[in-house]
Amino acid sequence: MDLQTNEAGEIRSGMEKMRRAFEIYPYCTLALNHLANHYFFTGQHFVVEQLSETALSSSSHGLLKSQSYYNLARSYHSKGDFETAGRYYMASVKEVNKPQDFVLPFVGLGQIQLKFGDFKRSLASFEKVLEVHPENCESLKAIGNIYANLGENDKAIETFKKVTRIDPKDHQAFVELGELLVESDWAAAMEYLKTACTLLRKAGEKIPVELLNGIGLLYFEKAEFELAEQSFKEALGDGIWVSIMDGTAGSSIANWSVQYRDQSFFHQLEENVSLELPCDKVTTLFNYARLLEELHDTVKASLLYRLIIFKYPDYIDAYLRLGSIAKEKNNIQLSIELIGDALKINSKYPNALSMLGSLELQSDETWLTAKEHFRDAKDATDGKDPYSWLQLGNWNYFAANRPEKKAPKFEATHREKAKELFLNVLKQNHGNMFAANGLGILHAEKAQWDIAKELFTQVHEAASGSIFVQVPDVWINLAHIYFAQGLFQQAVKMYQNCARKFFYNTDATTLLYLSRTHYEAEQWQDCRKSLLRAIHLAPSNYLLRFNVGVSMQKFSASTLQKTKRTVDEVRATVSELQNAIRVFSLLSVASTYHSHGFDERKIETHVEYCRHLLDAAKVHRDAAEQAEKQTKQKLEVTRQIALADEARRRAEEQRKFQLERRKQEDELKQVMQQEQHFERVKEQWKTSNNTPGKRKDRSRHEDEDGDSGKKRRKGGKRRKDQKTKMQYEDDEEDQYRNEPEEDDYANMSRDPGGDRPEKAPDHLLAAAGLEDSDAEDETGHPQSVIERKRRAWSESDDEEPVQRSVQPTSPGPNDLSE
Amino acid sequence: MKLAGLKSVDGAHEDSIWAAAWVPAADHRPTALLLTGSIDETVRAWQPDDLAAASPPAGGHALGVISLAAHPAGVIAAAVSIDSHVRVFDVDSGASVATLDAAPSEVWGVQFHPKGVALAAAGGGSGSVKLWDTEKWQPIASLPVPRPEGARADKTGSGKFVLSVAWSPDGKLLACGSMDGTIAVYDAVRMKFLHHLEGHHMPVRSMVFSPVDPHVLLTGCDDSHIHIYDAKEKGLIGAMSGHASWVLSIDVSPDGMTVATGSSDRTVRLWDINARASVQTMSNHSDQVWAVVASRPPGGEGVRAGRLASASDDKSISLYDYS
């Protein structure tokens, strides 16, 4: 039939024929259907409906009726009347016995069902279509979408993969695949999205903003910031943001960039340039701003956020990001105002409520109301958001440690409540690191080290493997546990790694923990150095100054108690004590205009003790120096004696040698003489005695004896020398050992309150050093809780805009459970 | 403008280096010198071209050197240590000239008046700037930082801890920065407080006036931003961001066009003031960069303009040429 061909001319002639047929017999269903079909494509829905209804009433043939229903349904479908369309599709389907006969209404029906969210039935309809056309890509894609909606990602992926096998040019399928894989398989997702991009580029089509945005986010997630930036820039194309980025948007931009809530700049700018921001680009612009934040270019990021707010005043997340930036800059007032703006738009926005709560928790005046906001946030999410539960848990923990709630009863209740909340989060999200960390803290506070350690270790491991979730607190907490168990070396390592990894070594509190560990390990010099670093970072923290004084005092005291010290050590002690006294006295005077929380008398005691130690140390130093001098002199004397001895010995040897030689010569002479004599005797031919020779021999022997005796004596003398020297050394040592006691004693008796400074400071010292550090310990936890909150907060902010980024508060079951 | 690394000395000190200053050339010494101060309680001097040690280390800076400043005449310098003493010494001989003390207050950053007539020191917890004359080393003035209007009274007393000072190149303005981000500007001639500069809410550890525009003050802050203020007109005229952590040190090139900053993020960055943008990042240090100092050409024929030195917690110092 001519109508089946798509040539315009043919259609027209076909139509003519049909119309003729219609005129001949107006109730021929076939003709009516074809006409209706035609008018559908020409968009004349009213005619379609009339014709189809006529066709319906004139026929009882199932298939024809089905076609008429289908035409009607299609007509309503395209007009947007989905319910009626659905009914007619149903009617049409009912008239079809086998889908093979007429498959089109199934497609329509499936679409309508999909529209109404009836995934199961829709799936059935499309499956019917597939029975007829197993390689129909549209239906397959529909099925894929249904699976995705039903949460059956594997099946969805399988389906879309089939589509790409059938039609490797279907970019839609690639996009879908990419998006399905975003969470599970970064590389594959990237691959698919890129393929879609390439396909679109080849086809010469414009790449949709969302696709580029998606690619950008994927790069963002992998911390490939440059590539992410490229994608976002490509997605955004040209616009006002370009001139904002390169700083050409007007020189006044920088002047104004600090007044976060002032939008007058954009008004001014709008007079000259058009500030267009198409709504499909807002999300990308927002993500780009997030990226800039990540790249630490907050000045530009906040400009973009404000542009978004200027054009879309209801874009609530932009307010929250600005609030977060203000908070990072410690501009709490502004941050609260910006969150207020956000809450004006939506008073139940959970992120805004959570942020507000976190801010309030930091202030002494408002921490109580923070709970209300956390609770509101929880209610706003129907309790489904683990983050709000976490925050409530943290709040309870925080409350337990507040001084005004320090009553044991309250404390226990709050702890119990916190525990319950954390456990609740863990029940919902098995791998929630923050909840596990919180639970660990609670166990740690009850000194259940093993359980706490186990929890912290697990979180630590899980967090180490993730780029996006950063839990510095767990490093600190684990270090605390090591510390509590006396594993100082591990604790030190943990604190150091944490400070370096997360805080660029700028965290004075971590240094304080470190110094406390060194203190307990009696590594005074390391302790002192850590504290000095901390003072350098936080010069107004007087606690650190006090501690550094204590550490120097401790160092000195321990050096003085050592049995063996070098003069240098004693000298160092003296100067350290002078430093300690200076530090304490400065603190003591400073307390007249600062309330840094130290009891003046306590400082005085320290000063007194240090003075007393210093006096002792000075005596020691003088003694040591004296001793050193003596030793040097003695050594010199000994050396000279030795030298003299040596000389003497040499001379002796020389003499001996010469003596010997002379003797030998003599002997030789004698022998010669004897020989001569013997010769003579022989010559004399007479018997005679040889006694003179014998006597000579004996005398020679005697001589040798005498020599060796001399030698021995000399040796003995030298040994004696050595002995005296050693004795001297011994004496010296005894002196050293005795002296301090004597001295201390003397000093103590001299000082009426001497007993106190001697013992009390030691006690105090423990009190000062340890109690203080304990206090720190306790405040340290909530602080880390706040820290954690801050982390969690900034991370959770990511959740909304960067939806595809890992949700940090619910890192997925694979993180911890395994 | 671009930086090119000339030379680095690892282990220049036994431990972290916290301060650095260029001593201009003097009549008796044709070249400038670089001074560095460390937690190892010494100050060391280095030759400007090859960073060869110029003299043996000078000790006695108890508890670590936190700030160094050189007198413009190039003869003496001042070093501040955590024990809150300012030790003024002869650069070449190392001999002590004076030991200053603002007890009971701490002393933090120090700077000499551009003409060398006075020494200004950030007075720490006293919430004031202390001034000494450089002839007899007598205290001249103590300029308190008034509480900004409407600011809450802080209970801890840690708010007004004055950290840093800067003189304008004409000597007419004096500015100080503190722990809570407050910046106070004084009329340095009449010794009078003028106003606060707002915008920072975290410690301002370093600041410097532009050498070409005596009103322009550049500040580095723990909020990792660099602010550009008109110190006379009380206005914030620019902000630059890019450092990942605290900005610890800031200096400006002699032509006033380029700013160099050192940060806790272990980098040294170069910024174009007009474009308000970062133009270069040097990552040769492996720990916090506590000091960046640009050499000043006036009076120093022996020194080429455009030398920059940086010192870091990693115990090393680096020298760069910029062109």
Side-chain angles (χ1 to χ4, degrees):
Chain A
M1 195 170 286
D2 291 339
L3 263 177
Q4 301 295 17
T5 68
N6 275 338
E7 298 296 318
E10 299 284 323
I11 290 174
R12 204 164 299 129
S13 67
M15 276 303 295
E16 280 306 307
K17 287 175 196 163
M18 272 302 175
R19 193 161 296 158
R20 237 174 290 141
F22 174 67
E23 278 159 12
I24 295 162
Y25 179 57
Y27 299 105
C28 170
T29 320
L30 187 71
L32 283 169
N33 277 347
H34 276 293
L35 273 175
N37 197 15
H38 170 77
Y39 286 117
F40 176 77
F41 284 110
T42 54
Q44 291 157 288
H45 295 298
F46 180 69
V47 187
V48 176
E49 281 157 33
Q50 272 197 329
L51 287 170
S52 302
E53 270 161 29
T54 324
L56 275 175
S57 57
S58 63
S59 168
S60 57
H61 184 267
L63 200 54
L64 286 180
K65 268 182 103 168
S66 164
Q67 272 184 355
S68 307
Y69 281 130
Y70 172 68
N71 277 337
L72 269 173
R74 217 165 30 150
S75 172
Y76 284 109
H77 193 169
S78 65
K79 281 200 295 187
D81 185 352
F82 300 115
E83 270 179 54
T84 324
R87 274 203 301 280
Y88 281 119
Y89 279 131
M90 279 299 261
S92 172
V93 165
K94 271 195 194 125
E95 298 293 334
V96 182
N97 295 327
K98 286 184 291 181
Q100 281 85 346
D101 297 339
F102 186 45
V103 80
L104 291 176
F106 288 99
V107 179
L109 186 60
Q111 282 169 344
I112 296 287
Q113 285 160 334
L114 192 58
K115 188 102 198 163
F116 285 113
D118 189 351
F119 297 121
K120 292 247 163 70
R121 295 220 178 103
S122 175
L123 185 63
S125 304
F126 281 115
E127 273 169 352
K128 286 258 165 53
V129 181
L130 283 188
E131 280 176 29
V132 187
H133 304 288
E135 303 219 320
N136 180 295
C137 289
E138 293 310 315
S139 308
L140 279 170
K141 279 192 271 183
I143 289 175
N145 276 327
I146 292 167
Y147 280 133
N149 276 316
L150 289 172
E152 298 188 50
N153 276 8
D154 292 344
K155 282 187 179 171
I157 290 166
E158 199 48 49
T159 315
F160 283 118
K161 276 190 179 159
K162 200 172 167 189
V163 177
T164 60
R165 272 198 299 276
I166 297 162
D167 180 6
K169 288 192 174 162
D170 192 324
H171 57 84
Q172 265 183 324
F174 282 107
V175 173
E176 296 285 351
L177 269 176
E179 284 180 358
L180 280 168
L181 286 165
V182 154
E183 273 172 36
S184 52
D185 187 346
W186 186 90
M190 195 52 151
E191 194 56 44
Y192 286 125
L193 290 184
K194 274 185 176 167
T195 315
C197 249
T198 325
L199 286 172
L200 283 163
R201 252 184 219 127
K202 269 188 196 153
E205 283 181 60
K206 196 177 169 294
I207 303 166
V209 176
E210 300 83 54
L211 179 53
L212 288 165
N213 183 39
I215 292 177
L217 280 178
L218 275 177
Y219 280 129
F220 194 175
E221 197 179 307
K222 265 272 146 58
E224 304 250 19
F225 297 130
E226 270 176 47
L227 292 167
E229 190 171 3
Q230 275 175 19
S231 298
F232 288 144
K233 273 187 177 163
E234 195 182 339
L236 288 169
D238 216 15
I240 179 66
W241 44 86
V242 175
S243 44
I244 289 181
M245 286 313 296
D246 61 19
T248 54
S251 55
S252 59
I253 198 151
N255 311 8
W256 158 87
S257 58
V258 198
Q259 325 299 328
Y260 283 97
R261 296 179 76 204
D262 180 13
Q263 296 288 47
S264 60
F265 167 78
F266 285 123
H267 289 291
Q268 279 173 27
L269 201 62
E270 203 168 30
E271 287 169 14
N272 309 317
V273 214
S274 86
L275 288 179
E276 240 179 79
L277 177 57
C279 61
D280 61 333
K281 287 184 180 169
V282 183
T283 313
T284 312
L285 197 63
F286 183 88
N287 287 336
Y288 189 27
R290 290 281 301 122
L291 177 73
L292 286 171
E293 268 191 81
E294 205 63 36
L295 294 170
H296 311 292
D297 201 344
T298 30
V299 170
K300 281 180 182 137
S302 51
L303 277 174
L304 292 186
Y305 289 134
R306 277 143 77 194
L307 174 67
I308 292 175
I309 292 173
F310 180 67
K311 300 299 287 185
Y312 298 89
D314 284 348
Y315 203 103
I316 200 163
D317 282 314
Y319 290 94
L320 294 186
R321 287 316 309 162
L322 282 178
S324 181
I325 289 172
K327 182 180 171 259
E328 282 296 308
K329 294 188 75 181
N330 202 27
N331 194 346
I332 307 297
Q333 195 53 40
L334 180 63
S335 187
I336 289 178
E337 280 170 28
L338 283 160
I339 296 170
D341 288 347
L343 284 173
K344 260 179 234 154
I345 299 163
N346 179 357
S347 62
K348 293 257 173 278
Y349 198 68
N351 280 3
L353 290 166
S354 297
M355 270 176 89
L356 192 56
S358 304
L359 279 172
E360 285 172 341
L361 199 55
Q362 289 179 3
S363 156
D364 285 342
E365 289 111 59
T366 52
W367 72 275
L368 268 169
T369 55
K371 186 184 180 185
E372 298 307 314
H373 289 119
F374 291 145
R375 199 174 276 159
D376 288 347
K378 189 194 81 182
D379 294 343
T381 52
D382 294 327
K384 278 181 194 143
D385 178 22
Y387 182 61
S388 50
W389 286 94
L390 263 180
Q391 280 189 313
L392 275 175
N394 287 344
W395 184 88
N396 272 294
Y397 176 77
F398 184 79
N401 288 325
R402 287 297 297 193
E404 52 266 56
K405 291 247 179 177
K406 200 70 186 174
K409 203 182 98 195
F410 281 124
E411 208 180 318
T413 336
H414 280 306
R415 291 235 161 106
E416 215 34 57
K417 185 81 189 147
K419 189 175 177 182
E420 198 180 296
L421 286 158
F422 288 142
L423 279 172
N424 199 352
V425 175
L426 277 179
K427 215 183 282 164
Q428 284 177 20
N429 288 293
H430 201 58
N432 192 307
M433 295 185 220
F434 299 97
N437 186 33
L439 209 56
I441 293 174
L442 290 169
H443 281 297
E445 296 222 325
K446 288 188 194 154
Q448 295 162 333
W449 309 124
D450 291 336
I451 307 173
K453 196 176 185 173
E454 179 67 27
L455 279 163
F456 290 145
T457 312
Q458 281 189 16
V459 177
H460 180 252
E461 274 168 21
S464 307
S466 162
I467 318 165
F468 262 74
V469 192
Q470 294 198 323
V471 204
D473 312 353
V474 84
W475 263 255
I476 296 286
N477 289 338
L478 206 48
H480 283 341
I481 298 278
Y482 285 134
F483 172 77
Q485 293 188 323
L487 303 167
F488 298 131
Q489 248 181 322
Q490 275 109 313
V492 166
K493 217 171 214 169
M494 210 58 161
Y495 286 130
Q496 281 171 341
N497 285 345
C498 177
R500 194 168 173 83
K501 192 174 157 78
F502 299 106
F503 303 117
Y504 290 105
N505 288 338
T506 58
D507 191 62
T509 317
T510 316
L511 280 170
L512 181 62
Y513 297 148
L514 193 60
S515 69
R516 184 187 50 171
T517 315
H518 285 308
Y519 184 95
E520 285 299 308
E522 306 199 344
Q523 297 157 331
W524 313 119
Q525 287 302 313
D526 290 329
C527 171
R528 167 184 183 268
K529 215 159 233 182
S530 306
L531 286 166
L532 287 177
R533 285 180 205 284
I535 291 176
H536 191 213
L537 293 169
S540 56
N541 186 339
Y542 287 91
L543 177 77
L544 299 170
R545 287 174 194 268
F546 181 84
N547 284 349
V548 92
V550 174
S551 81
M552 290 190 287
Q553 174 194 315
K554 260 288 192 188
F555 163 77
S556 309
S558 77
T559 313
L560 288 180
Q561 275 157 16
K562 277 207 283 189
T563 46
K564 265 201 167 180
R565 303 155 291 197
T566 62
V567 185
D568 284 342
E569 272 179 329
V570 185
R571 270 195 208 115
T573 308
V574 170
S575 68
E576 283 295 69
L577 281 169
Q578 278 161 345
N579 287 336
I581 290 173
R582 171 135 180 109
V583 166
F584 284 130
S585 341
L586 280 175
L587 266 180
S588 157
V589 193
S591 67
T592 54
Y593 56 87
H594 275 301
S595 50
H596 44 51
F598 297 116
D599 186 0
E600 218 171 306
R601 266 183 316 187
K602 190 161 137 190
I603 298 174
E604 277 310 315
T605 329
H606 275 284
V607 172
E608 266 170 46
Y609 178 61
C610 281
R611 288 234 167 88
H612 143 73
L613 268 184
L614 181 62
D615 290 341
K618 273 185 181 155
V619 177
H620 284 307
R621 183 192 57 186
D622 296 345
E625 276 172 357
Q626 191 67 26
E628 193 189 45
K629 227 161 98 191
Q630 281 177 8
T631 317
K632 266 191 193 148
Q633 280 173 351
K634 219 37 179 198
L635 273 172
E636 184 60 23
V637 170
T638 327
R639 200 172 63 89
Q640 282 184 353
I641 290 173
L643 273 177
D645 275 358
E646 181 71 16
R648 212 181 314 145
R649 197 176 53 86
R650 280 229 188 100
E652 189 77 12
E653 263 169 22
Q654 189 71 15
R655 199 171 56 84
K656 215 167 57 195
F657 177 70
Q658 279 176 353
L659 212 78
E660 212 122 304
R661 221 172 63 179
R662 219 179 298 145
K663 220 184 288 163
Q664 271 173 0
E665 277 169 15
D666 284 355
E667 266 168 42
L668 207 74
K669 243 187 241 165
Q670 278 173 2
V671 171
M672 295 266 276
Q673 280 172 357
Q674 276 175 359
E675 268 175 18
Q676 282 172 357
H677 182 72
F678 192 58
E679 293 280 306
R680 250 178 271 144
V681 170
K682 262 206 286 187
E683 273 170 29
Q684 277 179 352
W685 177 252
K686 266 178 193 170
T687 50
S688 62
N689 54 56
N690 49 2
T691 35
K694 250 184 194 166
R695 207 171 56 225
K696 276 283 165 199
D697 269 356
R698 212 180 64 217
S699 79
R700 199 170 115 200
H701 190 70
E702 267 176 12
D703 263 8
E704 272 175 6
D705 256 350
D707 255 359
S708 69
K710 233 194 223 161
K711 256 186 214 154
R712 214 178 294 140
R713 228 179 303 138
K714 228 164 90 183
K717 205 168 149 198
R718 199 183 289 154
R719 223 175 293 141
K720 206 176 154 198
D721 266 355
Q722 277 172 350
K723 207 177 157 198
T724 47
K725 207 173 107 194
M726 294 242 290
Q727 266 169 355
Y728 180 65
E729 271 177 357
D730 280 348
D731 287 349
E732 213 172 31
E733 270 169 33
D734 285 348
Q735 242 181 322
Y736 265 118
R737 218 178 291 140
N738 292 333
E739 223 174 7
E741 281 160 27
E742 263 173 29
D743 253 304
D744 282 355
Y745 187 71
N747 267 335
M748 267 160 63
S749 48
R750 218 182 299 142
D751 188 341
D755 192 36
R756 230 184 78 221
E758 176 65 70
K759 276 198 176 141
D762 244 326
H763 190 73
L764 262 177
L765 196 135
L770 261 176
E771 251 177 36
D772 284 341
S773 50
D774 271 357
E776 271 313 301
D777 192 5
E778 279 171 5
T779 51
H781 282 304
Q783 194 173 355
S784 45
V785 174
I786 291 164
E787 206 54 34
R788 165 153 45 94
K789 229 166 283 152
R790 202 193 61 189
R791 289 282 160 191
W793 172 17
S794 58
E795 295 295 340
S796 79
D797 290 342
D798 292 350
E799 278 180 34
E800 304 307 315
V802 192
Q803 273 178 353
R804 286 181 205 126
S805 76
V806 190
Q807 296 197 348
T809 44
S810 49
N814 54 331
D815 273 326
L816 250 184
S817 55
E818 283 169 22
Chain B
M1 206 168 258
K2 248 193 160 9
L3 283 181
L6 269 184
K7 167 109 185 164
S8 276
V9 180
D10 289 331
H13 279 264
E14 280 157 29
D15 208 328
S16 303
I17 310 174
W18 284 348
W22 283 106
V23 186
D27 297 339
H28 64 287
R29 176 172 27 77
T31 58
L33 282 180
L34 177 67
L35 291 181
T36 54
S38 154
I39 189 181
D40 72 4
E41 308 191 348
T42 65
V43 169
R44 301 182 190 212
W46 312 87
Q47 298 293 352
D49 292 309
D50 52 3
L51 293 183
S55 56
H61 300 273
L63 310 185
V65 182
I66 41 181
S67 176
L68 278 168
H71 188 274
V75 179
I76 55 169
V80 184
S81 38
I82 292 185
D83 68 354
S84 296
H85 281 304
V86 184
R87 293 178 175 84
V88 185
F89 58 96
D90 184 289
V91 174
D92 295 285
S93 68
S96 170
V97 173
T99 300
L100 310 175
D101 184 355
S105 93
E106 298 82 10
V107 181
W108 215 253
V110 281
Q111 281 300 324
F112 279 98
H113 183 280
K115 298 268 184 312
V117 295
L119 176 71
S126 69
S128 61
V129 178
K130 309 281 181 194
L131 292 164
W132 287 272
D133 78 82
T134 52
E135 257 179 47
K136 298 201 174 95
W137 302 105
Q138 293 302 310
I140 313 172
S142 171
L143 305 171
V145 181
R147 203 172 285 285
E149 286 163 40
R152 282 184 303 143
D154 36 41
K155 293 176 211 149
T156 52
S158 60
K160 284 292 166 285
F161 192 101
V162 182
L163 277 176
S164 51
V165 284
W167 293 92
S168 67
D170 55 11
K172 286 182 182 156
L173 294 177
L174 178 65
C176 73
S178 39
M179 277 301 276
D180 66 353
T182 318
I183 297 166
V185 182
Y186 302 89
D187 180 330
V189 181
R190 293 192 193 84
M191 295 292 170
K192 218 180 79 199
F193 168 78
L194 292 178
H195 47 247
H196 288 295
L197 299 175
E198 277 157 30
H200 286 306
H201 298 266
M202 290 168 93
V204 178
R205 289 178 197 264
S206 180
M207 40 200 220
V208 65
F209 275 92
S210 160
V212 290
D213 187 344
H215 291 175
V216 171
L217 177 69
L218 299 146
T219 59
C221 175
D222 281 7
D223 65 16
S224 65
H225 283 61
I226 294 132
H227 281 185
I228 307 166
Y229 290 98
D230 184 330
K232 188 91 183 179
E233 299 300 322
K234 204 189 167 182
L236 176 58
I237 52 176
M240 301 189 285
S241 59
H243 274 302
S245 187
W246 302 356
V247 180
L248 301 172
S249 176
I250 187 166
D251 206 354
V252 61
S253 67
D255 62 2
M257 304 299 279
T258 314
V259 177
T261 52
S263 160
S264 291
D265 70 7
R266 298 158 204 160
T267 65
V268 171
R269 269 184 191 249
L270 214 56
W271 310 79
D272 182 326
I273 295 191
N274 289 335
R276 308 265 197 263
S278 168
V279 286
Q280 198 182 357
T281 306
M282 306 293 280
S283 320
N284 47 318
H285 286 296
S286 60
D287 209 337
Q288 313 192 59
V289 183
W290 279 103
V292 283
V293 278
S295 63
R296 300 265 181 279
E301 287 138 290
V303 204
R304 286 168 51 204
R307 280 279 159 79
L308 188 79
S310 61
S312 158
D313 255 351
D314 70 4
K315 308 176 199 172
S316 78
I317 48 180
S318 287
L319 188 68
Y320 319 84
D321 226 346
Y322 54 79
S323 48

